[in-house]
């Protein structure tokens, strides 16, 4: 018999069939000559109840199972007289596959802190929280691909090793095969000519520049892959390794990009609401009671649009006491972003046209000479969830912006080339995937929405 997933069993219309179920014991309860097992196989938050009695030749084995043991059970699916479950299985055979010594198995039936669970990242997927997180993460990843594939975007894999510091978005990890204990030295520094690639190389901070290359040939592309930042900031919103979604669209200006961003967020959050109702209800109950209402709010509301200049004006006249004062020319802090979206508008807000000084060199300069065609999408509870821009497609202006930013144009010769040959208006944005999962689950710490978080002084598992 083939294994049936518990999720599929619980979705059935009626009982009666024999099924084979394999999974891990959550709890066991024994009463005289009957044993009740709660089994989970990760396919759903819900456990399946198995009833075993003395008709089993190895009833004693079943009766001594403890939390964490793995089992293979076949039996008949019947309607359950118990509360809170429609079906249960009456075991006809039960095989104990692996024991889990209750004296040492760390996941006993009680609530553990997320901090403790990080220390046992090899076992935490067996908890309700991390099972639900993994399913929501999976569903969001699928929704992201679906959204772009339905619209004819091409999935592009950007390189992880790079010789250029894309936009100076963050501190980079060096990639080298040089022997750090016996560095070849030239002019007082490590001699990169002897390194694997013959020049200094790093882990990428963004796939954007490569996405632009393909967008300027294939029109609509997106990357979705790991990016790395060696920022030594131990915050609840930063990882050293995280996944980023970066669509890039040719023949597109800023208005087209804001529409794409709005459609995109509505699509993926509607998708997760439709496909993970139980897991979201779990997060809503245990972690943040506004998770579902916030997701529904995004899915159903139309996003407000305002310029940075308007936003600064609103913030200055708000009468709020902000930790960081606001004036034209400063970057908006998370407290400002949250005020705009949560208190002032009460819906997601897209802020556009930021001062060029606080944005990257590749963003398109506006006619005022002071602002660039950038956009940030702000949502309740976290502030910025997407950052993007129309790119500078005019070579002379791009060159000037690179010089102003102190970049070496030699390193970007190919990026400039794109502006010499068949340049077109194009635009794109970046969405941090873990921040999105954080948003959809209400998990306070980004370390708990990544299967294996990498943070300063921590790369275990
Ligand atoms: P922040 O100000 O929060 O550090 P950023 O301005 O450095 O963000 P971008 O360079 O615009 O972010 O990167 C695009 C997206 O990637 C961000 O909107 C965010 O969702 C995500 N992101 C950036 N840095 C990290 C990080 N260290 N860990 C996880 N996600 C990140
Ligand atoms: Mn950053």
């Amino acid at each position: 018999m083939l294994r049936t997933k518990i999720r599929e069993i619980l979705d059935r219309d009626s009982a009666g069939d024999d099924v084979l179920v394999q999974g891990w014991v959550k709890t066991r309860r024994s009463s005289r000559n009957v044993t009740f097992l709660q089994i989970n196989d990760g396919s759903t938050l819900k456990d399946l109840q198995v009833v075993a009695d003395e008709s089993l030749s190895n009833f004693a084995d079943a009766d001594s199972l403890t939390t964490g043991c793995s089992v293979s059970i076949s039996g008949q699916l019947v309607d359950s007289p118990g509360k809170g479950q429609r079906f249960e299985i009456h075991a006809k055979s039960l095989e104990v596959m692996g024991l889990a010594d209750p004296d040492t198995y760390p996941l006993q039936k009680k609530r553990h802190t997320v901090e403790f669970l990080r220390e046992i990242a090899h076992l935490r997927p067996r908890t309700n929280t991390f099972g639900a997180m993994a399913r929501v993460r999976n569903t969001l990843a699928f929704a992201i691909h679906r959204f772009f594939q339905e619209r004819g975007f091409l999935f592009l894999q950007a390189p992880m090793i790079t010789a250029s510091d894309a936009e100076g978005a963050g501190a980079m990890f060096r990639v080298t095969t040089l022997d750090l204990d016996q560095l070849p030295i030239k002019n007082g520094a490590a001699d990169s000519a002897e390194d694997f690639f013959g020049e200094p190389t790093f882990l990428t901070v963004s796939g954007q520049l490569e996405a632009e290359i393909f967008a300027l040939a294939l029109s609509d592309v997106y990357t979705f892959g790991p990016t790395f930042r060696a920022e030594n900031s131990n915050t609840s919103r930063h990882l050293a390794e995280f996944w980023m979604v970066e669509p890039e669209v040719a023949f597109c200006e800023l208005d087209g990009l804001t529409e794409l961003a709005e459609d995109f967020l509505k699509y993926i959050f509607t998708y997760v609401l439709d496909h993970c109702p139980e897991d979201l209800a779990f997060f809503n109950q245990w972690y943040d009671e506004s998770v579902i209402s916030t997701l529904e709010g995004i899915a159903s509301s139309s996003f407000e649009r305002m310029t940075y200049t308007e936003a600064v004006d609103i913030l200055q006249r708000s009468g709020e006491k902000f930790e960081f004062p606001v004036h034209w020319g400063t970057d908006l802090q998370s407290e400002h972003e949250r005020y705009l979206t949560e208190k002032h508008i009460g819906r997601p807000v897209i802020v556009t046209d930021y001062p060029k000084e606080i944005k990257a060199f590749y963003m398109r300069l506006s006619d005022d000479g002071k602002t660039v065609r950038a956009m940030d999408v702000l949502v309740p509870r976290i502030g910025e969830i997407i950052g993007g821009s129309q790119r500078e497609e005019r070579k002379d202006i791009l060159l000037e912006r690179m010089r102003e930013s102190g970049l070496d144009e030699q390193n970007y010769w190919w990026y400039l080339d794109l502006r010499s040959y068949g340049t077109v208006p194009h635009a794109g944005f970046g969405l941090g995937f873990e921040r999105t999962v954080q948003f959809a689950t209400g998990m306070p710490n980004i370390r708990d929405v990544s299967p294996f978080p990498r943070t300063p002084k921590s790369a275990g598992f």
Side-chain angles (χ1 to χ4, degrees):
M1 212 189 316
L2 284 178
R3 172 165 67 93
T4 308
K5 286 190 189 291
I6 291 174
R7 179 188 187 123
E8 195 195 310
I9 289 174
L10 296 177
D11 280 347
R12 290 190 179 190
D13 294 331
S14 60
D17 289 346
D18 274 9
V19 287
L20 171 67
V21 171
Q22 298 177 312
W24 292 266
V25 175
K26 273 280 175 66
T27 57
R28 174 183 53 82
R29 187 165 54 81
S30 294
S31 80
R32 273 188 242 133
N33 31 26
V34 188
T35 277
F36 299 92
L37 301 168
Q38 297 293 329
I39 309 291
N40 191 279
D41 66 1
S43 59
T44 162
L45 191 64
K46 292 208 188 93
D47 304 326
L48 181 65
Q49 173 155 288
V50 172
V51 184
D53 61 26
E54 285 178 321
S55 64
L56 285 181
S57 59
N58 59 345
F59 177 67
D61 288 349
D63 202 37
S64 61
L65 285 167
T66 54
T67 303
C69 293
S70 47
V71 288
S72 181
I73 294 158
S74 63
Q76 191 183 21
L77 190 66
V78 300
D79 290 318
S80 175
K83 269 212 215 106
Q85 68 217 1
R86 274 183 64 211
F87 301 130
E88 62 189 28
I89 288 185
H90 286 183
K92 291 180 181 166
S93 77
L94 179 149
E95 182 191 346
V96 180
M97 306 191 87
L99 292 171
D101 183 351
D103 291 334
T104 56
Y105 187 62
L107 287 178
Q108 295 307 322
K109 174 89 189 163
K110 64 169 183 140
R111 221 181 155 193
H112 299 281
T113 65
V114 287
E115 288 80 12
F116 169 69
L117 293 175
R118 277 176 219 147
E119 293 167 17
I120 51 165
H122 59 309
L123 295 172
R124 70 176 185 170
R126 296 187 191 182
T127 63
N128 287 339
T129 297
F130 285 86
M133 183 282 288
R135 286 184 295 270
V136 168
R137 200 180 148 102
N138 170 69
T139 300
L140 279 169
F142 186 67
I144 287 165
H145 280 295
R146 238 181 97 134
F147 173 84
F148 289 120
Q149 294 293 327
E150 280 177 1
R151 279 163 186 71
F153 282 61
L154 207 106
F155 175 34
L156 174 74
Q157 297 78 34
M160 272 172 253
I161 299 175
T162 175
S164 63
D165 172 0
E167 64 178 284
M172 301 178 92
F173 288 99
R174 184 86 175 250
V175 175
T176 182
T177 52
L178 292 178
D179 182 351
L180 295 182
D181 298 320
Q182 281 193 305
L183 273 183
I185 302 289
K186 192 174 165 190
N187 301 331
D191 184 8
S192 301
E194 290 198 23
D195 205 348
F196 189 91
F197 296 104
E199 60 179 323
T201 47
F202 307 90
L203 291 177
T204 189
V205 294
S206 160
Q208 179 198 319
L209 302 188
E210 288 86 0
E212 281 188 55
I213 294 178
F214 271 73
L216 291 175
L218 301 158
S219 309
D220 303 285
V221 302
Y222 69 105
T223 70
F224 185 8
T227 51
F228 307 85
R229 296 194 185 174
E231 35 200 5
N232 208 352
S233 52
N234 251 314
T235 79
S236 60
R237 301 165 65 232
H238 290 91
L239 293 168
E241 174 178 332
F242 63 99
W243 281 53
M244 192 131 68
V245 182
E246 296 182 278
E248 190 72 34
V249 190
F251 310 103
C252 177
E253 302 187 1
L254 192 66
D255 289 347
L257 189 71
T258 56
E259 259 169 56
L260 181 73
E262 179 170 350
D263 289 351
F264 172 67
L265 290 178
K266 284 179 173 163
Y267 183 100
I268 63 172
F269 291 136
T270 302
Y271 195 88
V272 78
L273 281 165
D274 288 347
H275 290 81
C276 296
E278 284 164 3
D279 293 320
L280 294 182
F282 170 84
F283 287 114
N284 212 74
Q285 181 178 356
W286 295 101
Y287 286 95
D288 183 338
E289 62 185 21
S290 66
V291 162
I292 291 181
S293 60
T294 313
L295 291 174
E296 285 172 345
I298 292 195
S300 64
S301 63
S302 78
F303 293 16
E304 184 72 23
R305 277 139 174 92
M306 66 174 71
T307 65
Y308 167 89
T309 304
E310 287 165 347
V312 168
D313 197 46
I314 289 166
L315 291 165
Q316 284 178 333
R317 287 190 288 126
S318 68
E320 288 280 310
K321 283 244 174 323
F322 294 117
E323 191 188 335
F324 298 92
V326 201
H327 55 87
W328 203 97
T330 55
D331 209 355
L332 300 182
Q333 302 292 326
S334 166
E335 55 173 343
H336 309 134
E337 296 172 342
R338 291 188 60 170
Y339 174 83
L340 290 170
T341 168
E342 287 169 17
K343 292 211 183 131
H344 187 74
I345 305 283
R347 282 178 287 124
V349 179
I350 305 183
V351 180
T352 60
D353 302 289
Y354 285 74
K356 65 175 182 181
E357 284 78 15
I358 58 172
K359 291 290 181 185
F361 74 93
Y362 51 71
M363 299 191 178
R364 192 180 199 279
L365 191 65
S366 294
D367 292 342
D368 63 12
K370 292 191 300 193
T371 60
V372 288
R373 300 242 74 191
M375 65 146 204
D376 281 0
V377 183
L378 315 181
V379 293
R381 279 210 344 259
I382 61 164
E384 178 190 335
I385 191 165
I386 280 180
S389 69
Q390 184 175 340
R391 318 306 190 190
E392 184 56 76
E393 86 283 12
R394 299 160 298 183
K395 188 174 181 180
D396 48 338
I397 298 175
L398 182 61
L399 257 174
E400 205 177 300
R401 293 273 290 138
M402 288 173 71
R403 286 178 191 142
E404 276 172 19
S405 315
L407 292 171
D408 183 357
E409 58 193 70
Q410 314 271 316
N411 290 340
Y412 293 90
W413 63 273
W414 48 271
Y415 194 67
L416 288 160
D417 246 14
L418 297 172
R419 277 74 182 165
S420 300
Y421 307 119
T423 190
V424 300
H426 60 291
F429 65 73
L431 169 92
F433 184 53
E434 282 74 12
R435 295 257 180 102
T436 310
V437 181
Q438 239 185 315
F439 181 69
T441 57
M443 292 295 278
N445 198 306
I446 198 166
R447 288 166 177 78
D448 303 318
V449 295
S450 167
F452 302 104
R454 268 74 182 106
T455 52
K457 304 273 179 287
S458 172
F461 304 98

